[in-house]
Amino acid sequence: MQNPFQYKTRFGLYRATIRAMDRLSTTKRAWWIHQALFHCDREFPDFSRQLRELIYRPATLEDLTRSNELKN
């Protein structure tokens, strides 16, 4: 995976964070997430809250189902 500082868009950083949380070992994941949050705070301050939510409160299948039911 690329270093988080190489992502130039919010969407790219968001997708890469999801992949990092899924694929990296514990130590590498911790380093990657720390770097991603630092990069996000500096480059995308308006997006920082969303990224922190993704990391610290990941959605469960039940959350996604409930969200989909509310839309319909």
Side-chain angles (χ1 to χ4, degrees):
M1 293 195 67
Q2 295 181 11
N3 187 319
F5 292 99
Q6 294 177 329
Y7 291 95
K8 303 298 180 198
T9 65
R10 291 167 179 82
F11 184 68
L13 185 60
Y14 190 83
R15 283 188 349 176
T17 302
I18 292 172
R19 278 196 314 271
M21 290 172 56
D22 187 45
R23 295 182 184 165
L24 295 179
S25 67
T26 306
T27 305
K28 289 180 182 179
R29 183 183 322 131
W31 176 88
W32 205 96
I33 287 173
H34 178 75
Q35 295 299 317
L37 289 172
F38 181 76
H39 176 54
C40 191
D41 287 343
R42 288 181 47 213
E43 298 296 322
F44 314 115
D46 57 325
F47 180 65
S48 185
R49 191 174 130 256
Q50 286 178 294
L51 192 64
R52 288 177 195 286
E53 246 181 59
L54 169 70
I55 293 168
Y56 298 118
R57 286 192 32 207
T60 63
L61 183 56
E62 183 179 310
D63 294 336
L64 297 175
T65 304
R66 187 171 1 114
S67 174
N68 196 24
E69 289 172 357
L70 293 174
K71 289 179 186 176
N72 294 328

